[in-house]
Amino acid sequence: MGELPASTRLGAIRLRAADLGLLQDFYERAIGLRAIPVDEDVAALGAGDGRLVELVAHPDAPPRPPRTTGLFHLALLVPTRAELARALRRVLRSGWHLSGASDHLVSEALYLSDPEGNGIELYRDRPRDEWSRDGGELQMATLPLDLEGLRAEPGGDDETPSLAEGTTLGHVHLQVSELDPAEAFWVDGLGLDVMVRRYPGALFVSAGGYHHHVGLNTWAGVGAPRPPTAARGLDRFDIVLPDAESATAARTRVAALTDVTDADGGFLAKDPSGNAVLVRPEPR
């Protein structure tokens, strides 16, 4: 088992935005997040009081080149299937379109991209007692999702403009250059568990037996280069640990592999593909 406590969770994901106003409008109108007032130079959006997506203005940021490492998608986990049906209707009402819809056995998911090309997954989990295992490994797949059945879900026709309270950043899926160095960072260093290893070109890791808090893939090509440092897209995302002792232990493990710096009550580090994570304890 990994080194991180079972109550480990994700906090918020921070994106560099060339057109902050455009992205904020999209996340409010098409996704259903709400603006959260903050004192920082960051546009914060969430469901309820918790931040889920943070946008930082970088007007001169170039687009992230294709087939580079970085964000594959951010994944917002909604609490019920009816809420996923509402999310589908919200996206379609906004005039936006889906890029995919899948049944992953452990979850049902909708896929789209924001106006600057950041991938987004909106999903709901099936109950854990319905998840299947084979030889100790969690079973996941990518099967077609019955969109008509989802649209017909009881309660799914409620046209509320906002995502429900209880929506969280369920996972973050990253594109990496190679899986072995990525595993060394996220599993051996940070302390996540490998949940799925058999998925072609991908690795899914988590804490507490969740199907994945972090997805890693080489679908941009093994050896994919990093994007320019100031390109649009992923700036960092937060992993929140239940106590300071867990955060200190994680810092020691990660510092044995790469540089770490103090930031926002925790520490900031980058995996071998340049994907940045802020690890911090729960605020007291």
Side-chain angles (χ1 to χ4, degrees):
M1 297 297 291
E3 300 285 348
L4 296 185
S7 55
T8 296
R9 65 177 181 86
L10 300 192
I13 185 166
R14 180 171 292 187
L15 304 175
R16 291 185 293 271
D19 190 332
L20 189 147
L22 176 68
L23 283 197
Q24 181 165 349
D25 176 72
F26 168 83
Y27 280 99
E28 291 184 21
R29 184 170 49 85
I31 304 302
L33 295 176
R34 297 188 292 273
I36 298 174
V38 294
D39 295 330
E40 309 160 26
D41 188 21
V42 174
L45 302 126
D49 295 331
R51 300 187 195 188
L52 298 178
V53 176
E54 299 174 340
L55 304 173
V56 182
H58 286 259
D60 298 325
R64 174 184 157 206
R67 306 193 70 80
T68 55
T69 62
L71 182 66
F72 187 63
H73 61 240
L74 63 93
L76 298 174
L77 171 62
V78 299
T80 65
R81 194 171 197 261
E83 183 60 27
L84 186 63
R86 294 181 198 115
L88 171 61
R89 291 176 181 273
R90 191 178 296 116
V91 169
L92 298 179
R93 281 200 313 272
S94 76
W96 213 251
H97 60 276
L98 298 180
S99 57
S102 298
D103 183 335
H104 294 302
L105 303 182
V106 297
S107 62
E108 294 179 302
L110 308 172
Y111 295 96
L112 65 159
S113 294
D114 73 19
E116 293 193 356
N118 299 296
I120 301 167
E121 176 181 343
L122 300 167
Y123 76 110
R124 73 101 185 181
D125 281 335
R126 288 193 169 92
R128 287 202 187 197
D129 60 10
E130 295 181 11
W131 299 358
S132 298
R133 295 178 180 274
D134 180 13
E137 182 168 309
L138 190 65
Q139 295 299 289
M140 292 175 61
T142 299
L143 306 174
L145 180 63
D146 177 8
L147 285 174
E148 290 308 311
L150 179 62
R151 287 171 65 95
E153 180 71 12
D157 56 353
D158 179 352
E159 296 192 356
T160 177
S162 300
L163 285 169
E165 285 198 47
T167 298
T168 63
L169 182 66
H171 65 266
V172 172
H173 196 149
L174 304 171
Q175 291 186 295
V176 299
S177 181
E178 297 180 74
L179 289 179
D180 286 347
E183 181 175 350
F185 177 89
W186 293 100
V187 176
D188 302 333
L190 188 54
L192 295 166
D193 293 307
V194 175
M195 298 302 294
V196 179
R197 190 184 293 278
R198 300 175 189 170
Y199 210 94
L203 191 69
F204 297 92
V205 300
S206 78
Y210 190 55
H211 53 74
H212 66 300
H213 287 113
V214 179
L216 307 161
N217 77 64
T218 55
W219 301 334
V222 175
R226 298 184 185 190
T229 302
R232 301 173 199 173
L234 179 65
D235 183 77
R236 72 184 197 201
F237 69 98
D238 302 352
I239 292 182
V240 184
L241 306 185
D243 51 61
E245 293 78 12
S246 299
T248 298
R251 182 187 180 116
T252 299
R253 292 191 302 270
V254 173
L257 298 176
T258 190
D259 294 336
V260 300
T261 56
D262 293 329
D264 294 341
F267 70 89
L268 191 67
K270 291 184 178 180
D271 76 3
S273 297
N275 299 305
V277 60
L278 173 71
V279 181
R280 59 178 176 84
E282 289 278 6
R284 295 187 180 275

